[in-house]
Amino acid sequence: MRPPVIWADCTREELREALPESLVVLPIGATEQHGPHLATGTDAAIVEAICRFAVVRAADSARMVLAPCLHFGVSEHHLPFGGTLSLSPETAIGVLTDLARSIVECGGRRLVIVNGHGGNRGVAQVAAAKIASAYDMTVSVIHYWELIADAGGTPIPGHAGEFETAMLFALRPEFVRQRRPRTPPEESGVDGAEMHEAAAWRRIDGYTDDPTRATHERGTEWLDECLGALAGRLIELANRP
Amino acid sequence: MRPPVIWADCTREELREALPESLVVLPIGATEQHGPHLATGTDAAIVEAICRFAVVRAADSARMVLAPCLHFGVSEHHLPFGGTLSLSPETAIGVLTDLARSIVECGGRRLVIVNGHGGNRGVAQVAAAKIASAYDMTVSVIHYWELIADAGGTPIPGHAGEFETAMLFALRPEFVRQRRPRTPPEESGVDGAEMHEAAAWRRIDGYTDDPTRATHERGTEWLDECLGALAGRLIELANRP
Amino acid sequence: MRPPVIWADCTREELREALPESLVVLPIGATEQHGPHLATGTDAAIVEAICRFAVVRAADSARMVLAPCLHFGVSEHHLPFGGTLSLSPETAIGVLTDLARSIVECGGRRLVIVNGHGGNRGVAQVAAAKIASAYDMTVSVIHYWELIADAGGTPIPGHAGEFETAMLFALRPEFVRQRRPRTPPEESGVDGAEMHEAAAWRRIDGYTDDPTRATHERGTEWLDECLGALAGRLIELANRP
Amino acid sequence: MRPPVIWADCTREELREALPESLVVLPIGATEQHGPHLATGTDAAIVEAICRFAVVRAADSARMVLAPCLHFGVSEHHLPFGGTLSLSPETAIGVLTDLARSIVECGGRRLVIVNGHGGNRGVAQVAAAKIASAYDMTVSVIHYWELIADAGGTPIPGHAGEFETAMLFALRPEFVRQRRPRTPPEESGVDGAEMHEAAAWRRIDGYTDDPTRATHERGTEWLDECLGALAGRLIELANRP
Amino acid sequence: MRPPVIWADCTREELREALPESLVVLPIGATEQHGPHLATGTDAAIVEAICRFAVVRAADSARMVLAPCLHFGVSEHHLPFGGTLSLSPETAIGVLTDLARSIVECGGRRLVIVNGHGGNRGVAQVAAAKIASAYDMTVSVIHYWELIADAGGTPIPGHAGEFETAMLFALRPEFVRQRRPRTPPEESGVDGAEMHEAAAWRRIDGYTDDPTRATHERGTEWLDECLGALAGRLIELANRP
Amino acid sequence: MRPPVIWADCTREELREALPESLVVLPIGATEQHGPHLATGTDAAIVEAICRFAVVRAADSARMVLAPCLHFGVSEHHLPFGGTLSLSPETAIGVLTDLARSIVECGGRRLVIVNGHGGNRGVAQVAAAKIASAYDMTVSVIHYWELIADAGGTPIPGHAGEFETAMLFALRPEFVRQRRPRTPPEESGVDGAEMHEAAAWRRIDGYTDDPTRATHERGTEWLDECLGALAGRLIELANRP
């Protein structure tokens, strides 16, 4: 079994050899409030772990390089709750663009951004499009939770609700504190409209559904589904002509 | 029947009265290549028209103000084909943020960005999130083509393919030139991965599916579905507590 | 008679053919308070109309392409009066630079910015100079009201006073509401000094001279003078070696 | 006779006392090619000198503070000729805005930018408008050469031609080198259109009219006219209610 | 013994309690070429480890919160050697400013940036000064290698030479590959002048002194000296009135 | 004796000849509060003078061009004391980068920034590194006070204390006002930590040590030491292969 290539663990010579033929996998997370019951490192911890595991699984089937995780994301809407380290969207786009430019200058031609935080959707899309045009590089974006095929009614990913709590049971159980059952407040969205509203976050105290529904078993299943799907997608992306 | 409020047609006094209680509707489009058979103004023309029609339909049920359409979008990937006027993503975010700031300073509290161009997805999301946090304003984003429930296999929106051609038959038939049938090249995406690749656009000559499949009848149906759905969503957004 | 080339109405092929030999005409306006008696779309409506008419008149004598109008300008000083959608100067420079860059990438070599709003003077000059240096493109700026040779004492353009009101009578009479006669407050400027002062705008309630002096007849004369002069200038610019 | 207040020569206490009641005079110049016969410091030297002289003349009639001269301007179009130190327009706007913000934070309420270089027109206007809106400060812009009432056909200011050469004879004769007579190339402008074209500068070798026409006598007259007019304008601006 | 507070491992409630009374410790590193013999993650690995260890040592004596490490730094000069992920200085300043702003909004009042990469010196100083002025926050910067009192002639830190190699022997021996002895090229600097020159880096193949001089024993001593000194400084900073 | 080359006094032809073989010397200062006893122009006056003198001394031994002094620096922390004109760090980096770019475009290959103000340390380092990478130019930074070998306990440079007061006695005695003796407040720093704290500046009323200790004699000695050392460093930098 071929070992995976971890950028930070390699020398420049090893990377100069690997990059032109490899898919660079860049995990991006967040450090932000996750209600009173989850650690603020939740998003970064999950996305870093699943990328690492998926790259290991995929190492025999395709060439990949795993870049260091970006632990900070766009979390302006979580700042009022405390415990949050947020990048402005302009800075986040700058970081992603600078990293992609670096990869190109070092010989890389393919990049996938694996995103672990909903607030990063826009900047990931903006940066990917910009990079692809500016450097004639192939850039993909995967929001890891979209790899879950059917969650049986659980909001995916929600925020600090059943899904993320369960994922942490499987990956970082020490990140889960005492949970309180909650009846999620009635927040009727408008179908087909993506709404941004600070007051809405305040009404739900910064997290979505009921974290006490999360079980270790469910977390293991979801994690396994994510890993299988992610490894498959990475292999497909790496092996495209 | 109450007439709709068109920003540009009103005086400052009329707007000072209307804005605090109204939903501001901001259409954003693009001016960019649409293959050899459609006019470059396609996206802006469609989104401006459907916003105008929807605001008229909704005028009796809720208070709205229709802002002028932004005719330029993020189209860097279309520049190599000619005929394209593109904003960099940083500029586009600046425009949307400036307009939202203006609306707030003039008394508005609710904004919906109705988007007519796929390349604007990221900047619309980034700007909406930023505005919502910075000004405690409710900002929604609607990508108009997502209002089509089921297109029976036609790519929605595609780019300069059957859907947009049909929409133009219904709205601006003079924008459609001689079409050539095409067998769309096999472009297998990777499920769950949003890919950005300049070479992919070159391989398909800058447009997606077969425009000769478009009919005026289909265009009318799709337009009607869009208008009904959009008017409904706008009313819901305007009347939220 | 040769029809004019309207960018948004053309396909990429038509523009690829036209741009290298044509002068691109870009109208820029504003959406901003125009006192209690004129619609906020005044500047954009006037500049868009006169560009369209002038391009039609000139179409037989020179090759031109009319770009879509930018409906938003730098109007920070009008925000306190309501009804105003303003771009920051940095954003406005970004928009103009991005559009010029697009034109160059699509084969254009000559651009004239036709400006309809005093607050855009600086950004138009900055952008034109920057573009000319960066892309070796010929960029001109015309402030349309400077084409009026002699207004017999009426402030040209003023703001929402006799001149603009008269122009709207000729172009968009529905933009004019009930006018009140005013004795313009004594605002002695300092000769040769361009002054920027928020308090001065407040002292005159956001508009300059007496709009009740405006007549339809005067508007028609001024409009005709503008159109003749503008068409002439565009032909000169387009036909320079 | 009251001595003028020179910012750099004063202590903070002296400035804290003077600023709230004074007009701050900020000269901005350029360091750029001035043909083969004039020193590159021409614009900065002229504007700094006339501001200093005018402030001395005006010191008895009004309170003023003379800020240090900005020796660098927007001269991108002169870079190809050598000897040029240029700020990008974004940087120049940043400098002017930062200085104005500093003045406000230190108690100043009135600012006049006295400009000595045509390439600074746009950034001066942009910055003045922005500052006036952002800080409710009164900001004026004077382009010093516009104070010359009638130059009898000599281009004012031109670039490195008769006018500037004559001004240097009066102010800094050591800046003038061996001059060659020239018949200015026929450069027909378009009336009412401000043109920016790198090729035009190349065609005239980077300077406009015939510098051999300049005389010391004419220079002294022009300088005197400038100083009288500038001192008058500064007094008017400083003493406005 | 009180456990240290690791930001990412804590909930928002825990951080809301801790931040107002704690010193936030932010390690910043780099991911960049370190010659043919060290892994590219060297700087980030060292600074993250010594911060973690020092915070543990200091936990009983003062309140601290350890923020996630920034794995990317300003390494533009290393890009030509491969294996480098660099932020532009503007982006890096943006990241540091955004993180400080977040800390302030979440209740923190004291920050120390512990820097592990020479290329970050300027941005750390710029950001610290800016943050201190903008948010009235106390911000300190420690370049960890300056805590070594006397290295007996070894360049500290050098780049990928004896010092860093020895530190890795003590912290991450798997980051050290086969080393080749080298006689460092004669690079005479100019005393008191900090020089930046791309050619100089090329002349020394991207690293400074002889890595074969490094020993595990020396690494342990240096590490211990760093940790003791850093813990002491952190306690002093945390306990200032 | 060869005369020094002063940029502003030369024509473009003279500079086109000189720049490729010369070291460009760029002095950067500040205009900011220097306590109740020194003029605000202190830093700019000192650094401009010592650069001018050093370039004259060195003119026979090496080719140099002296650029105009930047009179404004990063002084955000001095704004609350009055009398301060500050650039934001972003603007200051922009100025330095633009000037370096201009020098490169005009044929220069070597630049030394001679800094006269502590608050400019970071931006000088950032800009120098950025320029060196972007333009393959050799850029050095000298903080002039670091050329003083041993000050016998006097803080060097301090701020508006003994050292700067003495330097002004030697260079610009008219900049020194009535001084009051002071016992410097006890401000214990933390060894090895660079601290930024607005409150610390307030506690010491904006200046450091006792200015009444300054003598003209000491100033002359320090000035002489600076000039000798600076001239030597400039010659070394100019004559490197």
Side-chain angles (χ1 to χ4, degrees):
Chain A
M1 190 168 144
R2 193 160 62 179
V5 179
I6 310 298
W7 188 301
D9 299 353
C10 292
T11 66
R12 67 186 193 192
E13 269 73 10
E14 293 158 3
L15 287 161
R16 286 203 298 238
E17 192 276 327
L19 283 168
E21 305 301 323
S22 297
L23 173 72
V24 177
V25 180
L26 174 66
I28 64 171
T31 301
E32 65 179 23
Q33 72 88 15
H34 268 70
H37 52 285
L38 297 188
T40 57
T42 294
D43 289 351
I46 293 176
V47 79
E48 186 171 48
I50 63 173
C51 281
R52 190 170 288 264
F53 293 167
V55 164
V56 170
R57 278 200 199 187
D60 273 335
S61 309
R63 298 197 66 180
M64 295 175 202
V65 173
L66 179 65
C69 181
L70 178 64
H71 290 264
F72 312 108
V74 180
S75 308
E76 304 287 294
H77 48 309
H78 291 304
L79 283 168
F81 295 96
T84 300
L85 293 167
S86 174
L87 302 181
S88 73
E90 288 79 5
T91 300
I93 293 170
V95 170
L96 296 177
T97 308
D98 285 346
L99 297 182
R101 175 178 55 87
S102 299
I103 293 167
V104 169
E105 291 199 30
C106 296
R109 302 304 309 152
R110 293 173 185 208
L111 170 65
V112 60
I113 298 169
V114 183
N115 176 31
H117 164 53
N120 291 340
R121 290 190 77 109
V123 294
Q125 200 270 351
V126 164
K130 184 178 167 185
I131 297 162
S133 291
Y135 304 114
D136 209 355
M137 189 190 209
T138 304
V139 188
S140 303
V141 180
I142 292 175
H143 308 291
Y144 86 87
W145 61 83
E146 296 187 348
L147 301 171
I148 301 289
D150 177 10
T154 300
I156 301 286
H159 183 71
E162 180 187 356
F163 175 70
E164 290 189 335
T165 306
M167 289 292 280
L168 287 179
F169 274 137
L171 283 168
R172 298 285 290 265
E174 75 278 16
F175 270 24
V176 186
R177 302 283 190 287
Q178 176 79 33
R179 292 164 288 152
R180 288 168 301 197
R182 85 183 311 191
T183 309
E186 291 276 345
E187 272 293 321
S188 59
V190 173
D191 199 42
E194 174 193 305
M195 297 187 61
H196 299 264
E197 186 186 11
W201 283 103
R202 289 193 293 268
R203 286 194 296 270
I204 59 170
D205 189 23
Y207 66 110
T208 55
D209 50 306
D210 187 351
T212 64
R213 295 173 51 99
T215 63
H216 185 281
E217 187 180 19
R218 206 65 211 279
T220 307
E221 289 166 11
W222 275 329
L223 174 60
D224 197 58
E225 186 178 352
C226 275
L227 289 182
L230 182 57
R233 299 308 189 281
L234 296 182
I235 292 168
E236 276 189 80
L237 289 169
N239 289 335
R240 281 168 63 94
Chain B
M1 189 168 142
R2 193 161 63 179
V5 178
I6 310 297
W7 188 302
D9 299 354
C10 293
T11 65
R12 65 186 194 193
E13 269 74 9
E14 292 157 5
L15 287 161
R16 285 204 297 238
E17 191 276 328
L19 283 170
E21 306 301 323
S22 297
L23 174 73
V24 177
V25 180
L26 173 66
I28 64 171
T31 302
E32 66 180 23
Q33 73 89 16
H34 269 71
H37 53 284
L38 297 187
T40 57
T42 295
D43 289 351
I46 292 176
V47 78
E48 185 171 47
I50 63 172
C51 282
R52 188 170 291 263
F53 293 168
V55 163
V56 171
R57 278 199 199 188
D60 274 336
S61 310
R63 299 198 64 179
M64 293 176 204
V65 173
L66 179 64
C69 181
L70 178 63
H71 290 264
F72 312 108
V74 180
S75 309
E76 304 287 296
H77 49 307
H78 291 303
L79 283 168
F81 295 94
T84 300
L85 292 168
S86 175
L87 302 182
S88 73
E90 287 80 5
T91 301
I93 293 170
V95 171
L96 296 177
T97 308
D98 286 346
L99 297 182
R101 175 177 57 87
S102 300
I103 294 166
V104 169
E105 291 199 29
C106 295
R109 303 302 311 151
R110 293 175 184 205
L111 170 65
V112 60
I113 298 169
V114 183
N115 177 31
H117 164 53
N120 291 340
R121 290 190 76 110
V123 295
Q125 199 271 349
V126 164
K130 184 178 166 185
I131 297 161
S133 291
Y135 304 114
D136 209 355
M137 188 190 210
T138 304
V139 188
S140 304
V141 181
I142 291 175
H143 308 290
Y144 86 86
W145 60 85
E146 296 187 348
L147 301 171
I148 301 290
D150 177 11
T154 300
I156 301 288
H159 184 72
E162 181 187 355
F163 175 71
E164 291 189 334
T165 306
M167 290 291 281
L168 288 177
F169 274 136
L171 283 167
R172 297 286 290 264
E174 76 278 17
F175 270 25
V176 185
R177 303 283 191 285
Q178 176 78 35
R179 291 164 290 152
R180 289 168 301 197
R182 83 183 313 191
T183 308
E186 292 274 346
E187 271 294 321
S188 59
V190 172
D191 198 43
E194 176 192 304
M195 296 187 62
H196 299 264
E197 187 187 8
W201 283 102
R202 290 193 293 267
R203 285 194 296 270
I204 60 170
D205 190 24
Y207 65 110
T208 56
D209 51 305
D210 186 351
T212 63
R213 296 172 51 99
T215 63
H216 186 281
E217 187 181 20
R218 205 66 208 281
T220 307
E221 289 166 9
W222 276 328
L223 174 60
D224 197 58
E225 185 179 354
C226 276
L227 290 182
L230 183 56
R233 298 309 187 280
L234 297 182
I235 293 167
E236 275 189 80
L237 289 170
N239 289 336
R240 281 170 63 93
Chain C
M1 190 168 144
R2 193 161 61 180
V5 179
I6 310 297
W7 188 302
D9 298 353
C10 293
T11 66
R12 66 186 194 193
E13 269 73 10
E14 293 158 5
L15 286 161
R16 285 203 300 236
E17 192 277 328
L19 283 169
E21 306 302 323
S22 297
L23 173 72
V24 177
V25 181
L26 174 65
I28 64 171
T31 301
E32 66 180 23
Q33 73 87 15
H34 269 70
H37 52 285
L38 297 187
T40 57
T42 294
D43 288 351
I46 292 176
V47 79
E48 184 170 49
I50 64 174
C51 281
R52 188 171 290 263
F53 292 167
V55 164
V56 170
R57 280 199 198 189
D60 272 336
S61 310
R63 300 197 64 180
M64 294 176 204
V65 173
L66 178 65
C69 180
L70 178 63
H71 291 263
F72 313 107
V74 180
S75 309
E76 305 285 297
H77 48 308
H78 290 304
L79 283 168
F81 295 95
T84 299
L85 292 168
S86 175
L87 301 183
S88 73
E90 289 79 4
T91 300
I93 294 170
V95 170
L96 296 178
T97 308
D98 285 346
L99 297 182
R101 174 176 56 88
S102 299
I103 293 167
V104 170
E105 290 199 30
C106 296
R109 303 303 310 152
R110 293 172 185 210
L111 170 64
V112 60
I113 298 169
V114 183
N115 177 30
H117 164 53
N120 291 340
R121 289 190 79 109
V123 295
Q125 200 269 351
V126 164
K130 184 179 167 185
I131 296 161
S133 292
Y135 304 114
D136 210 355
M137 189 189 208
T138 304
V139 188
S140 304
V141 181
I142 292 175
H143 308 290
Y144 86 87
W145 59 86
E146 297 187 348
L147 301 172
I148 301 290
D150 177 11
T154 299
I156 300 287
H159 184 72
E162 180 187 357
F163 175 71
E164 290 189 336
T165 306
M167 289 291 281
L168 287 178
F169 275 137
L171 283 168
R172 299 285 290 266
E174 76 277 18
F175 270 23
V176 185
R177 304 284 192 285
Q178 175 79 35
R179 292 164 289 151
R180 287 167 302 193
R182 83 184 312 192
T183 309
E186 291 275 345
E187 272 294 321
S188 60
V190 173
D191 199 41
E194 174 193 306
M195 295 188 61
H196 299 265
E197 185 187 9
W201 283 101
R202 289 193 293 267
R203 286 194 295 271
I204 60 171
D205 190 23
Y207 65 109
T208 58
D209 51 305
D210 186 349
T212 64
R213 296 173 51 100
T215 62
H216 185 280
E217 188 181 19
R218 206 66 210 280
T220 306
E221 288 166 11
W222 276 328
L223 173 60
D224 197 57
E225 185 178 354
C226 274
L227 289 182
L230 182 57
R233 300 308 189 280
L234 297 182
I235 292 167
E236 275 190 81
L237 288 170
N239 289 337
R240 283 169 61 93
Chain D
M1 188 169 145
R2 194 161 60 180
V5 179
I6 311 298
W7 188 303
D9 299 353
C10 293
T11 65
R12 67 186 193 192
E13 268 74 11
E14 292 158 5
L15 288 161
R16 285 203 299 236
E17 191 277 328
L19 284 169
E21 304 302 321
S22 298
L23 174 72
V24 177
V25 180
L26 174 65
I28 64 171
T31 302
E32 65 178 25
Q33 74 88 16
H34 269 70
H37 52 285
L38 297 187
T40 56
T42 295
D43 289 351
I46 293 175
V47 80
E48 185 171 48
I50 62 172
C51 282
R52 189 171 290 263
F53 293 167
V55 163
V56 170
R57 279 199 198 189
D60 273 336
S61 310
R63 299 197 64 180
M64 294 175 202
V65 174
L66 179 64
C69 181
L70 179 63
H71 290 263
F72 312 107
V74 180
S75 308
E76 305 286 296
H77 48 306
H78 290 304
L79 284 168
F81 295 95
T84 299
L85 292 168
S86 174
L87 302 182
S88 73
E90 287 80 3
T91 300
I93 294 169
V95 170
L96 297 177
T97 308
D98 285 346
L99 296 182
R101 175 177 54 89
S102 300
I103 294 166
V104 170
E105 291 200 27
C106 296
R109 301 305 308 150
R110 291 173 186 210
L111 170 65
V112 60
I113 298 169
V114 183
N115 177 31
H117 164 53
N120 291 340
R121 289 190 78 109
V123 294
Q125 199 270 350
V126 164
K130 184 179 165 183
I131 296 162
S133 292
Y135 304 114
D136 208 355
M137 189 189 208
T138 305
V139 188
S140 303
V141 181
I142 292 175
H143 309 289
Y144 86 87
W145 60 85
E146 297 188 348
L147 302 171
I148 302 289
D150 177 9
T154 300
I156 302 286
H159 184 72
E162 181 187 357
F163 175 71
E164 290 188 334
T165 305
M167 289 291 280
L168 287 178
F169 275 136
L171 282 168
R172 298 284 291 266
E174 75 277 18
F175 270 24
V176 184
R177 304 282 192 286
Q178 176 78 35
R179 291 163 291 153
R180 289 168 301 197
R182 84 184 312 192
T183 310
E186 293 274 346
E187 272 294 321
S188 59
V190 173
D191 198 43
E194 174 193 305
M195 295 188 61
H196 299 264
E197 186 186 10
W201 283 102
R202 290 192 294 266
R203 285 195 297 269
I204 60 171
D205 190 24
Y207 65 110
T208 56
D209 50 305
D210 186 351
T212 65
R213 297 173 51 100
T215 63
H216 185 281
E217 187 181 19
R218 206 66 210 282
T220 306
E221 290 166 10
W222 277 328
L223 173 61
D224 198 58
E225 185 178 354
C226 276
L227 289 182
L230 182 56
R233 298 310 187 281
L234 296 182
I235 292 167
E236 275 189 81
L237 289 170
N239 289 336
R240 281 169 64 93
Chain E
M1 190 169 145
R2 193 161 61 180
V5 178
I6 310 298
W7 187 303
D9 299 353
C10 292
T11 66
R12 67 185 194 193
E13 268 74 11
E14 292 158 4
L15 287 161
R16 285 203 298 237
E17 191 278 328
L19 283 168
E21 305 301 322
S22 298
L23 173 72
V24 177
V25 180
L26 174 66
I28 64 172
T31 302
E32 65 179 23
Q33 72 88 15
H34 268 70
H37 52 285
L38 297 188
T40 56
T42 294
D43 288 351
I46 292 176
V47 79
E48 185 172 47
I50 63 172
C51 281
R52 189 171 290 263
F53 293 167
V55 163
V56 170
R57 279 200 199 188
D60 273 336
S61 309
R63 299 197 65 178
M64 294 175 201
V65 173
L66 178 64
C69 181
L70 178 64
H71 291 264
F72 312 108
V74 180
S75 308
E76 304 287 295
H77 49 307
H78 291 304
L79 283 168
F81 295 95
T84 300
L85 293 168
S86 175
L87 302 182
S88 73
E90 287 80 5
T91 301
I93 293 169
V95 170
L96 296 177
T97 308
D98 285 346
L99 296 183
R101 176 177 55 87
S102 299
I103 293 167
V104 169
E105 292 199 27
C106 295
R109 301 305 309 152
R110 293 174 184 207
L111 169 65
V112 59
I113 298 170
V114 183
N115 176 30
H117 164 54
N120 291 341
R121 289 190 77 108
V123 294
Q125 200 270 350
V126 164
K130 183 178 167 187
I131 296 162
S133 291
Y135 305 114
D136 208 357
M137 188 190 209
T138 304
V139 188
S140 304
V141 181
I142 292 174
H143 309 290
Y144 86 87
W145 59 85
E146 297 187 349
L147 300 172
I148 300 290
D150 177 10
T154 299
I156 301 287
H159 184 71
E162 180 188 354
F163 175 71
E164 290 188 335
T165 306
M167 289 292 280
L168 287 178
F169 274 137
L171 282 168
R172 298 285 291 263
E174 76 279 16
F175 269 25
V176 186
R177 303 283 192 284
Q178 177 78 35
R179 292 164 290 154
R180 288 168 301 196
R182 83 183 311 192
T183 308
E186 292 275 345
E187 271 293 321
S188 59
V190 173
D191 199 42
E194 175 193 304
M195 297 187 60
H196 299 264
E197 186 186 10
W201 283 102
R202 290 193 293 267
R203 286 195 295 271
I204 59 170
D205 190 24
Y207 64 110
T208 57
D209 51 305
D210 187 350
T212 64
R213 294 172 52 98
T215 63
H216 186 280
E217 187 180 19
R218 206 66 209 283
T220 307
E221 289 165 10
W222 276 328
L223 174 60
D224 198 57
E225 185 179 352
C226 275
L227 290 182
L230 182 56
R233 300 309 189 281
L234 297 182
I235 292 168
E236 275 189 80
L237 289 169
N239 288 336
R240 282 168 63 93
Chain F
M1 189 168 142
R2 193 160 62 179
V5 179
I6 310 297
W7 188 302
D9 298 353
C10 293
T11 66
R12 66 185 194 194
E13 269 74 10
E14 293 157 5
L15 287 161
R16 284 203 299 236
E17 191 277 327
L19 282 169
E21 306 301 321
S22 298
L23 174 72
V24 177
V25 180
L26 174 65
I28 63 171
T31 301
E32 66 180 24
Q33 73 88 14
H34 269 70
H37 52 285
L38 297 188
T40 57
T42 294
D43 288 352
I46 293 176
V47 79
E48 185 171 47
I50 64 172
C51 282
R52 188 170 290 262
F53 293 167
V55 163
V56 171
R57 279 199 199 188
D60 274 335
S61 309
R63 300 197 63 180
M64 295 176 203
V65 174
L66 179 64
C69 181
L70 178 63
H71 290 264
F72 312 107
V74 180
S75 309
E76 304 286 296
H77 48 308
H78 291 304
L79 284 168
F81 295 95
T84 299
L85 292 167
S86 174
L87 302 182
S88 73
E90 288 79 6
T91 301
I93 293 170
V95 171
L96 296 177
T97 308
D98 285 346
L99 297 181
R101 175 177 56 89
S102 300
I103 293 167
V104 169
E105 290 199 29
C106 295
R109 303 302 311 151
R110 292 172 186 209
L111 170 64
V112 60
I113 298 169
V114 183
N115 177 31
H117 164 53
N120 291 339
R121 290 190 78 109
V123 293
Q125 199 269 352
V126 164
K130 184 178 166 185
I131 297 161
S133 291
Y135 303 114
D136 209 356
M137 190 190 209
T138 304
V139 188
S140 303
V141 181
I142 291 175
H143 309 290
Y144 87 87
W145 60 85
E146 297 187 348
L147 301 172
I148 301 290
D150 177 11
T154 300
I156 302 287
H159 183 73
E162 181 187 356
F163 175 71
E164 291 188 336
T165 305
M167 289 292 282
L168 287 178
F169 274 136
L171 283 168
R172 297 287 290 266
E174 76 277 17
F175 270 25
V176 185
R177 303 284 191 287
Q178 176 80 34
R179 292 164 289 154
R180 288 167 303 196
R182 83 182 314 191
T183 309
E186 292 275 347
E187 271 294 322
S188 58
V190 173
D191 198 44
E194 175 192 305
M195 295 187 62
H196 299 265
E197 186 186 10
W201 283 102
R202 290 193 293 266
R203 285 194 296 269
I204 60 171
D205 190 24
Y207 65 110
T208 55
D209 50 305
D210 186 351
T212 64
R213 295 172 52 99
T215 63
H216 185 281
E217 187 181 21
R218 205 63 210 282
T220 308
E221 288 166 11
W222 276 328
L223 173 60
D224 198 58
E225 185 179 352
C226 275
L227 289 183
L230 182 57
R233 299 308 188 280
L234 297 182
I235 293 168
E236 275 189 80
L237 288 170
N239 289 336
R240 281 169 63 93

